[in-house]
Amino acid sequence: MNAPTSRTPGGVSRRAALTGLAAGAGSLALPGTAQAAPTAPSPSAAAADPTPGAMKLFADPGFDFAGLLALGAAGMRASEVGEVLTAVNAVNAAGPSEQSYTDTFRAWGDRLAAPPAAGRHGGEVPPQTRRFRSLRAAQYYAQALFYVLGTTSPADEKAVYLAGRAAWDAFTGLCSPAAVRAEVPYGGTHLPVWFFRPEDPARPRPTVILTNGSDGQNVDMWTYGVSAALDRGWNALVYDGPGQGQLLFVEEIPFTTRWEKVVTPLVDWLVARGDVDAGRIALTGLSMGGNLVARAAVFEHRLAAVVCQPGCLSPWLGFDKELRDVVMPDKAETNRVWNEDVVPELTPRLAFTVKKRFEIFDRQALRQARAGKVLTDLWTPAQVAIGLDVTRLVPKIKAPTLVLDYDFEQFYPGQPRQMYDLLRSRREYVKMTEATGAQLHCSPMAPQQHCDVVFDWLDGTLRPDRS
């Protein structure tokens, strides 16, 4: 960073590009990367510290956000307060890093995925114990998965994902009733789906399709929707789309800019079921999922309601302007500047940020990241991120739409209100605030409040007697 500044043909300096990486880090991430938050705060952000006092788990805002996400999940039994705080203490004692964070939470996943100590009460371990141990294991593996590319073993990414997936599958199989597992055709592959139903006798019920963001895992969908849906007598569908879960970490299929092609086969699968009310199917999107579901709603007209959490018009605008300026119309020139002027100056921390933020958009970038290398082709994945812009499409949404925003929204500041203003359908805008501890992207400390807001609105919007 102390090297002399060199000017690029695109009008951005090497120093500015690196600063942009640090400033915008995590903008496409649910559990934010270990970098400073973007310099543009949300309009309501008045305090200097969005997580003061006892809320502060790590001095670094990225690790702090990830830790708060794990801690907040305890309200939905997807973590344990004592386990998370013990892990946090261990990471802080070792010195917070991608390595210590991954190793610590992966060990917790391994511990809970294994059977409890035999002979405690004799006989087989009760399924209730195995069920929520498995859910917590899935949570801790997800925490480790986010940072594994920054460790000395980046090739472990697939193995960590599969460990978390096994824990998730064990949990869903122990639910009562067990989640229905299926594969829905999509392009040349299939979308893994998990369909959750209440314990009451089967009948047509309102159903919510829960959409993850750029790097969330299925356990997050339990925290931010499945548990609340079941409590209210709803069905809930969880799935992996391209760029997510199995399709990304096993099949190496990156994100698509045509998310309606993902949602439509899911709706087809649901309406064919006798326990789904085809007139009351809602679609929610968490984090960058708030962008994906907005696009899907423009083209899939069987959706009765849509929730964007938060509203996101353009994920690409979540990157700092200096970094965006590196990407020029000319692919060859963009990549020359990237490889000659920017990559040589990356610190290990910034190199991790680059690997994590772009692996979801391009198979080559993913493979290079797992090999411990920084992507050499910036232009190609950038085109996918740019192509996710839904600004011109949002006015075409017909379904009632709820847009959430957050105090200290650190990834897409200003975009939720902009999306709301563009909507022409029945709409509502809700700001989650620091006054109730629900600040930051996706309210990591308050998922119960978050779900109350979402499902109260869905219940009111989709009640049978509403005209």
Side-chain angles (χ1 to χ4, degrees):
M1 291 292 288
N2 295 321
T5 299
S6 64
R7 300 300 300 179
T8 72
V12 61
S13 70
R14 175 171 54 191
R15 185 180 299 276
L18 294 170
T19 302
L21 278 171
S27 62
L28 296 184
L30 181 55
T33 55
Q35 307 293 335
T39 55
S42 87
S44 61
D49 187 351
T51 56
M55 297 178 183
K56 181 72 69 177
L57 302 180
F58 296 100
D60 181 279
F63 287 127
D64 197 50
F65 182 84
L68 291 172
L69 191 72
L71 190 64
M76 301 299 190
R77 300 187 70 177
S79 72
E80 180 82 285
V81 170
E83 292 168 354
V84 173
L85 293 181
T86 299
V88 167
N89 286 343
V91 175
N92 278 322
S97 68
E98 287 83 4
Q99 188 74 52
S100 62
Y101 197 98
T102 297
D103 290 346
T104 300
F105 277 98
R106 188 176 184 180
W108 270 103
D110 290 343
R111 181 180 293 115
L112 290 171
R120 186 174 298 168
H121 297 292
E124 186 177 350
V125 178
Q128 295 89 341
T129 298
R130 290 187 287 119
R131 179 186 178 192
F132 284 100
R133 280 176 65 94
S134 297
L135 183 64
R136 301 199 312 273
Q139 172 72 246
Y140 304 143
Y141 283 128
Q143 290 291 318
L145 178 63
F146 184 81
Y147 286 110
V148 70
L149 291 181
T151 71
T152 57
S153 302
D156 283 357
E157 184 180 57
K158 180 178 176 180
V160 176
Y161 164 75
L162 288 173
R165 169 65 182 271
W168 168 254
D169 284 340
F171 165 74
T172 62
L174 290 167
C175 288
S176 181
V180 175
R181 289 180 56 184
E183 293 188 341
V184 174
Y186 165 75
T189 186
H190 293 80
L191 307 174
V193 302
W194 296 263
F195 181 73
F196 295 83
R197 304 150 294 164
E199 288 190 82
D200 297 336
R203 59 181 173 81
R205 296 176 182 275
T207 301
V208 60
I209 303 171
L210 300 163
T211 303
N212 233 321
S214 66
D215 51 43
Q217 301 306 314
N218 291 323
V219 63
D220 299 318
M221 296 296 91
W222 172 267
T223 302
Y224 283 91
V226 177
S227 180
L230 295 176
D231 285 345
R232 293 172 184 248
W234 283 55
N235 302 318
L237 183 76
V238 175
Y239 68 99
D240 288 340
Q244 301 172 329
Q246 176 179 306
L247 271 68
L248 177 67
F249 296 113
V250 177
E251 301 180 42
E252 300 182 352
I253 300 173
F255 268 98
T256 176
T257 58
R258 303 286 300 279
W259 207 256
E260 69 278 10
K261 300 293 185 181
V262 180
V263 169
T264 289
L266 299 174
V267 177
D268 290 341
W269 189 84
L270 287 173
V271 299
R273 295 185 60 88
D275 52 1
V276 171
D277 183 340
R280 292 194 290 166
I281 297 175
L283 178 66
T284 69
L286 188 70
S287 192
M288 198 180 85
N291 167 272
L292 305 175
V293 301
R295 179 183 174 97
V298 173
F299 300 96
E300 177 46 75
H301 299 295
R302 292 172 292 178
L303 299 171
V306 181
V307 183
C308 301
Q309 313 164 142
C312 172
L313 294 173
S314 174
W316 182 238
L317 292 180
F319 288 86
D320 190 86
K321 183 179 184 301
E322 285 77 12
L323 176 61
R324 286 185 275 123
D325 284 346
V326 175
V327 180
M328 296 168 276
D330 185 86
K331 178 179 179 179
E333 184 60 14
T334 294
N335 289 336
R336 186 197 67 76
V337 171
W338 174 249
N339 289 295
E340 294 182 7
D341 291 343
V342 179
V343 172
E345 297 296 317
L346 292 176
T347 64
R349 179 64 58 85
L350 289 177
F352 161 73
T353 301
V354 168
K355 296 169 190 174
K356 187 62 185 174
R357 294 178 73 194
F358 288 105
E359 70 164 351
I360 61 176
F361 295 123
D362 180 62
R363 179 175 294 175
Q364 176 179 298
L366 180 147
R367 291 176 173 176
Q368 288 179 318
R370 288 180 171 178
K373 302 175 182 177
V374 174
L375 73 163
T376 52
D377 177 5
L378 173 68
W379 190 90
T380 296
Q383 300 314 300
V384 179
I386 293 168
L388 289 170
D389 192 308
V390 295
T391 303
R392 295 183 180 180
L393 293 175
V394 166
K396 299 179 182 180
I397 295 175
K398 301 298 183 185
T401 303
L402 170 64
V403 177
L404 294 193
D405 198 355
Y406 309 90
D407 278 345
F408 300 100
E409 166 57 47
Q410 65 268 51
F411 300 150
Y412 310 119
Q415 291 198 42
R417 186 71 201 195
Q418 293 166 7
M419 175 180 281
Y420 173 80
D421 290 341
L422 287 171
L423 285 165
R424 297 296 176 261
S425 60
R426 182 151 51 94
R427 60 184 182 163
E428 187 166 347
Y429 170 91
V430 176
K431 172 70 78 69
M432 308 296 289
T433 71
E434 63 177 319
T436 61
Q439 69 268 40
L440 295 175
H441 183 68
C442 298
S443 300
M445 296 173 285
Q448 295 179 77
Q449 286 186 49
H450 196 278
C451 287
D452 285 346
V453 169
V454 170
F455 282 91
D456 285 353
W457 182 83
L458 286 174
D459 281 335
T461 301
L462 300 188
R463 68 175 184 261
D465 61 340
R466 182 159 190 137
S467 58

